[in-house]
């Protein structure tokens, strides 16, 4: 059936604005995280809640709730008050999850600290958030967390205690939690509101220090719940979570989506390892797998990939950056993830605002980031004027609703720059809303390349270049140019390093198929891309490295 458009008084068609809101017969949850967990435990005490594949440890929901409660008692015994900031600087492990739910039960604000941080960044976060109690891993890869904490401790006056996971100190700390604290815990929980701040996540700023996005029970519990609803989670689901807990992808879309549906959280490794991930899916019969596209690319290209039995998978979530068409085809066909979902969001919106649906076709899963979630609003505005654009016209994507953060911790001016008077969160992403309400991300406002006055969206060029047989992965960035202001650089990981792509081959492939100004004038061959801990490519570093090398 063709769509008809109303006409204005003068006879010209009236275009639909780039605005959409999500309706749903399923109501928002009014619970705190602790109360929601209690509902799940009461309904499914014997179901498996958490599996740590590296250590072989397992918890049913009843066992998980008991350990969360004991840790909550220990927090009370240690003098943790409602609103106190409790830091967690750790790789993925069961203790991370226990801290997440125990702090929520006592009303403390858990502060996620990026495991990749070094002393300078960690010291800033410890002081800016006013962390009084810190849980930390002993170490991971090149990071010795104990040594780093000792180095900065004297410059962090609010930090009174550090508990190391994997050290006897963890057991000693949890042993403080005794059942005679039960009445105190119940009294504390009775004081809590679902609108209380419960989590601070530091967004990785490209300039200056990161900002602490402050999120409530209501923000993250509902976001995790509705993400889980849209992939149809039930107590039968087992979610493999190789993405970091310190980020919303792990702790909200993973953990809270699981516990709000009685599903099982599966930890394949302390940090992402493609082989460990596939082994965990096979061993634990996972039905859902998470990752950013580069993680799925690494899994699909793993020697022996086809030897893993992934037939139990039905769904999963891909987020963080756009998924190339060819990768999505393989994920659906070879990983059995017919119902895989694409999610889009940002830390400041808890995180997901847009998501594809289970029955969306390949084009919608690769060409868009889905449509608005239930109970949220999105719009696309002119970045200069703030006026809502007509559908099909690019502009800045904005989100409003239950998911928008309370603000940046103790930074009201920066909060006001991001969240306007109408409570719209400005994402900084350039987007286009289609007639059907699905949204395409065309780039970051700051990543857009302006070459000789022409706007170039890197995503469009990347998607085209993925079709070249010699290219396994590609990132397109703008680098300074004396005449044009910027020129287009393609950073390429080759399928076969022994048969590298040349700039001449690349340009010949583009000739006549891309506008001349979009064709890369420079090529860098790389073995890997610089990544954030959450699995996003650091385009800023690609630009800086190329500019420095000339």
């Amino acid at each position: 059936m063709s769509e008809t458009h109303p006409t204005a008084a003068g006879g010209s068609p009236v275009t639909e604005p780039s605005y959409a809101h999500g309706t749903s017969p399923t109501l928002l949850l009014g619970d705190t995280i602790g109360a929601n967990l209690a509902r799940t435990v009461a309904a499914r005490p014997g179901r498996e809640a958490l599996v740590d594949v590296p250590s072989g440890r397992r918890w049913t929901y009843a066992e998980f709730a008991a350990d969360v409660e004991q840790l909550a008692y220990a927090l009370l015994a240690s003098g943790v008050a409602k609103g106190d900031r409790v830091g967690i600087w750790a790789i993925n492990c069961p203790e991370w999850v226990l801290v997440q739910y125990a702090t929520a039960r006592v009303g403390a604000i858990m502060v996620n600290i990026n495991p990749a941080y070094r002393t300078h960044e960690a010291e800033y976060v410890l002081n800016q958030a006013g962390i009084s109690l810190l849980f930390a891993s002993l170490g991971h890869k090149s990071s010795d967390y104990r040594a780093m904490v000792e180095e900065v401790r004297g410059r962090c006056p609010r930090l009174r205690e550090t508990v190391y996971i994997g050290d006897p100190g963890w057991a000693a700390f949890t042993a403080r939690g005794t059942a005679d604290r039960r009445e105190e815990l119940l009294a504390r929980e009775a004081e809590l509101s679902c609108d209380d701040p419960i989590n601070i996540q530091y967004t990785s700023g490209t300039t200056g220090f990161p900002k602490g996005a402050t999120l409530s029970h209501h923000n993250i519990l509902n976001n995790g719940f509705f993400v889980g609803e849209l992939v149809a989670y039930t107590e039968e689901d087992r979610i493999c979570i190789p993405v970091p807990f310190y980020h919303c992808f792990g702790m909200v879309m993973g953990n809270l989506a699981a516990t709000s549906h009685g599903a099982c959280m599966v930890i394949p490794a302390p940090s992402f390892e493609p082989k460990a991930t596939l082994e965990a899916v096979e061993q634990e019969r996972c039905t859902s797998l998470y990752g950013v596209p580069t993680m799925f690319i690494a899994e699909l290209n793993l020697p022996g990939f086809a030897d893993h039995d992934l037939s139990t998978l039905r769904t999963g979530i891909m987020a963080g950056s756009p998924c190339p068409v060819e990768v999505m085809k393989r994920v659906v066909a070879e990983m059995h993830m017919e119902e895989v979902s694409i999610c889009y969001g940002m830390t400041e919106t808890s995180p997901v605002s847009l998501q594809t649906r289970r029955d969306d076709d390949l084009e919608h899963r690769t060409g868009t980031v889905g449509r608005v979630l239930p109970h949220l609003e999105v719009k696309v505005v002119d970045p200069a004027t703030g006026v809502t654009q007509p559908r099909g016209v690019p502009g800045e994507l904005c989100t409003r609703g239950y998911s928008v953060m309370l603000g940046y911790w103790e930074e009201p001016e920066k909060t006001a720059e991001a969240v306007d008077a109408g409570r719209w969160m400005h994402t900084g992403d350039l987007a286009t809303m289609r007639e059907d309400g699905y949204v395409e991300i065309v780039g970051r406002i700051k990543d857009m390349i302006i070459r000789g006055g022409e706007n170039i969206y890197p995503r469009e060029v990347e998607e085209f270049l993925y079709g070249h047989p010699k290219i396994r992965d590609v990132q397109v960035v703008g680098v300074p140019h004396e005449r044009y202001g910027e020129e287009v650089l393609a950073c390429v990981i080759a399928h076969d390093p022994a048969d590298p792509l040349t700039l001449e081959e690349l340009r010949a492939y583009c000739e006549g198929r891309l506008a001349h100004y979009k064709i890369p004038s420079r090529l860098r061959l790389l073995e890997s891309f610089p990544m954030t801990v959450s699995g996003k490519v650091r385009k800023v570093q690609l630009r800086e490295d190329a500019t420095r090398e000339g």
Side-chain angles (χ1 to χ4, degrees):
M1 193 170 88
S2 63
E3 187 178 350
T4 58
H5 293 279
T7 56
S12 59
V14 176
T15 57
E16 286 290 316
S18 292
Y19 167 87
H21 67 276
T23 58
S24 174
T26 304
L27 302 179
L28 285 167
L29 302 176
D31 292 335
T32 62
I33 290 167
N36 184 262
L37 177 63
R39 291 179 198 278
T40 299
V41 174
R44 307 171 181 90
R47 300 293 303 193
E48 211 157 44
L50 178 63
V51 175
D52 182 49
V53 175
S55 68
R57 291 179 290 168
R58 296 172 180 274
W59 286 257
T60 63
Y61 266 98
E63 292 164 344
F64 178 69
D67 281 359
V68 166
E69 187 151 305
Q70 178 161 356
L71 184 54
Y73 293 155
L75 291 169
L76 294 176
S78 303
V80 174
K82 176 184 173 183
D84 280 359
R85 272 77 65 208
V86 174
I88 177 128
W89 192 16
I91 49 181
N92 284 17
C93 59
E95 290 80 4
W96 208 110
V97 188
L98 295 171
V99 170
Q100 177 182 349
Y101 288 84
T103 51
R105 286 202 64 183
V106 303
I109 301 173
M110 183 177 72
V111 183
N112 302 7
I113 304 176
N114 187 328
Y117 277 2
R118 311 307 289 180
T119 52
H120 179 63
E121 299 141 318
E123 179 183 342
Y124 173 79
V125 168
L126 287 165
N127 283 322
Q128 205 275 331
I131 291 170
S132 56
L133 172 62
L134 175 66
F135 292 98
S137 295
L138 285 167
H140 182 62
K141 295 182 178 175
S142 64
S143 295
D144 181 339
Y145 296 112
R146 193 196 293 271
M148 286 192 276
V149 171
E150 288 305 314
E151 183 181 332
V152 303
R153 181 191 295 277
R155 300 192 295 272
C156 301
R158 300 283 293 277
L159 181 63
R160 54 180 172 77
E161 184 174 10
T162 303
V163 178
Y164 292 98
I165 298 164
D167 178 86
W170 170 267
F173 183 86
T174 56
R176 298 178 197 172
T178 51
D180 59 4
R181 296 271 175 185
R182 179 162 178 74
E183 291 305 315
E184 185 182 354
L185 179 59
L186 293 175
R188 174 71 61 84
E189 288 186 301
E191 299 172 12
L192 305 182
S193 161
C194 65
D195 293 317
D196 289 337
I198 205 64
N199 184 216
I200 297 175
Q201 301 203 23
Y202 280 85
T203 61
S204 47
T206 53
T207 57
F209 283 108
K211 302 182 291 288
T214 307
L215 305 169
S216 68
H217 295 267
H218 196 66
N219 287 151
I220 59 177
L221 175 59
N222 276 291
N223 205 255
F225 173 70
F226 278 100
V227 165
E229 285 287 285
L230 293 183
V231 291
Y233 282 154
T234 71
E235 62 184 36
E236 300 297 327
D237 282 293
R238 300 173 67 79
I239 309 166
C240 183
I241 310 174
V243 294
F245 288 146
Y246 93 86
H247 189 271
C248 276
F249 200 169
M251 67 162 282
V252 178
M253 298 154 71
N255 297 346
L256 286 169
T259 59
S260 60
H261 290 88
C264 180
M265 302 165 277
V266 176
I267 303 172
S271 60
F272 175 64
E273 296 172 27
K275 191 170 191 297
T277 301
L278 296 180
E279 287 173 350
V281 169
E282 182 173 16
Q283 174 186 314
E284 294 300 325
R285 315 304 288 159
C286 293
T287 60
S288 177
L289 172 61
Y290 286 10
V292 297
T294 51
M295 290 181 177
F296 284 98
I297 290 168
E299 290 155 9
L300 290 163
N301 286 292
L302 192 71
F305 164 78
D307 298 335
H308 294 280
D309 179 4
L310 308 178
S311 60
T312 54
L313 288 174
R314 68 165 182 88
T315 189
I317 293 175
M318 206 181 293
S321 59
C323 179
V325 174
E326 295 307 313
V327 175
M328 179 59 78
K329 285 180 181 174
R330 291 191 64 194
V331 166
V332 170
E334 298 172 41
M335 300 181 85
H336 308 281
M337 294 169 60
E338 291 86 359
E339 298 176 16
V340 65
S341 186
I342 299 294
C343 288
Y344 164 86
M346 60 192 304
T347 305
E348 290 89 337
T349 54
S350 303
V352 180
S353 304
L354 299 156
Q355 186 172 351
T356 58
R357 301 325 198 239
R358 296 167 68 197
D359 55 355
D360 281 342
D361 59 25
L362 180 70
E363 194 283 326
H364 277 87
R365 288 181 186 169
T366 55
T368 81
V369 289
R371 53 191 168 95
V372 67
L373 256 64
H375 305 292
L376 294 178
E377 301 171 88
V378 293
K379 66 177 179 178
V380 176
V381 304
D382 183 318
T385 65
V387 173
T388 304
Q389 300 279 45
R391 293 204 179 189
V393 178
E396 184 180 19
L397 182 65
C398 300
T399 301
R400 181 166 68 180
Y402 75 80
S403 68
V404 174
M405 65 175 180
L406 301 178
Y408 293 120
W409 183 258
E410 294 191 343
E411 295 195 90
E413 289 179 5
K414 288 182 178 173
T415 302
E417 289 170 11
V419 183
D420 66 25
R423 289 294 299 162
W424 287 98
M425 177 74 212
H426 289 252
T427 66
D429 281 324
L430 289 165
T432 303
M433 185 178 290
R434 297 181 177 183
E435 290 296 333
D436 62 6
Y438 282 74
V439 173
E440 300 174 39
I441 302 296
V442 294
R444 291 287 292 168
I445 290 175
K446 65 185 178 189
D447 283 345
M448 187 173 70
I449 303 167
I450 305 176
R451 180 192 181 276
E454 298 279 6
N455 292 349
I456 302 168
Y457 302 111
R459 165 81 201 275
E460 178 193 357
V461 183
E462 289 162 358
E463 195 65 62
F464 173 76
L465 293 178
Y466 271 116
H468 194 289
K470 285 190 174 183
I471 292 176
R472 191 179 102 189
D473 207 351
V474 59
Q475 295 290 322
V476 169
V477 296
V479 290
H481 187 273
E482 202 170 295
R483 179 179 174 190
Y484 296 112
E486 286 186 293
E487 62 180 335
V488 181
L489 164 69
C491 300
V492 168
I493 298 174
H495 265 299
D496 181 3
D499 183 22
L501 179 73
T502 66
L503 180 60
E504 291 71 27
E505 288 174 316
L506 181 70
R507 292 179 65 81
Y509 180 76
C510 298
E511 206 67 48
R513 301 169 74 191
L514 279 183
H516 72 91
Y517 61 87
K518 297 178 185 176
I519 298 176
S521 55
R522 291 180 55 186
L523 169 67
R524 289 185 81 214
L525 294 173
L526 301 173
E527 293 181 3
S528 62
F529 296 136
M531 309 288 281
T532 67
V533 173
S534 56
K536 293 183 182 180
V537 176
R538 296 195 69 246
K539 287 201 169 189
V540 171
Q541 188 175 332
L542 288 175
R543 273 195 296 271
E544 289 173 352
D545 291 349
T547 303
R548 188 169 54 250
E549 291 175 15

